[in-house]
Amino acid sequence: MTGRVVELEYRPVAKDFVSALRARRRVSRAMRRQVWLLGLAACCCVFVVASDLADGEMPPFPMLIGMCVFAFLLVLQPWLVGHQFQRLAERRGVIRVTVTDAGVTVATDDSSTSLQWSVQPRYRETAEGFYMFSPEKNAANFTVLPKRGLRDPADADRLRAILDAHLSRV
């Protein structure tokens, strides 16, 4: 099982990071808890507004507008942050990733980083790509491996096999 190599090359786009952040929401206990608590807070706001409206104590529009903005930001948060990440990453130029049994190397026009498997010991696969996550509960660090960066569609199976051999699928 040694000697396996999969290479990716791509220019970062916002969709890569949006997908990674959405996958992170499913992996991170802290992110799942945050979404759950925000949902609970929204339900409480709805209850308060309904109660106040029934009592005739407040005009409905300011609170309803606030709730709509709150929901809008909750849904769009990965999109907004993903676009910020993309603007930062595009300054680095083309991203070249080499995945081997020894680990992952990410190189750009001006830098190179090598990661051992223990640094990001879990991953998640989506239709758009593979995303490696750090072990802490909020999965603060992640690596994006978009499928569109693979040289051959068959490389997705080879990449999955390498990741399965070294990481936990979440």
Side-chain angles (χ1 to χ4, degrees):
M1 282 289 208
T2 59
R4 298 182 293 183
V5 177
V6 175
E7 295 177 323
L8 298 90
E9 186 172 309
Y10 63 95
R11 286 203 171 273
V13 296
K15 185 177 180 179
D16 297 334
F17 298 104
V18 171
S19 296
L21 291 167
R22 286 196 173 122
R24 180 176 169 238
R25 273 189 175 176
R26 296 178 183 267
V27 169
S28 165
R29 283 187 299 174
M31 292 299 294
R32 286 192 310 264
R33 184 176 26 240
Q34 178 186 34
V35 170
W36 185 84
L37 288 173
L38 289 173
L40 180 63
C43 290
C44 290
C45 286
V46 168
F47 177 75
V48 168
V49 168
S51 175
D52 286 348
L53 285 175
D55 293 342
E57 292 181 13
M58 76 174 272
F61 296 111
M63 185 64 100
L64 291 175
I65 289 171
M67 288 173 42
C68 289
V69 169
F70 177 76
F72 186 70
L73 289 175
L74 179 63
V75 170
L76 284 184
Q77 185 263 348
W79 186 85
L80 294 169
V81 175
H83 277 76
Q84 291 173 339
F85 277 138
Q86 188 266 332
R87 280 193 291 277
L88 292 171
E90 73 183 357
R91 295 181 194 159
R92 303 281 183 221
V94 174
I95 297 175
R96 293 169 298 285
V97 181
T98 304
V99 182
T100 69
D101 284 309
V104 177
T105 301
V106 180
T108 65
D109 293 344
D110 59 359
S111 66
S112 178
T113 303
S114 293
L115 303 170
Q116 295 178 347
W117 294 115
S118 61
V119 173
Q120 295 179 340
R122 52 197 178 143
Y123 85 97
R124 183 169 186 85
E125 180 181 1
T126 69
E128 292 84 23
F130 298 89
Y131 309 99
M132 297 170 35
F133 297 101
S134 57
E136 67 275 351
K137 66 181 179 179
N138 64 350
N141 298 308
F142 58 89
T143 300
V144 177
L145 305 171
K147 290 180 180 177
R148 66 182 179 76
L150 295 167
R151 295 181 178 178
D152 181 355
D155 285 344
D157 293 330
R158 293 177 42 226
L159 178 56
R160 186 179 304 107
I162 295 172
L163 295 177
D164 282 338
H166 300 283
L167 305 176
S168 298
R169 188 187 297 227
V170 290

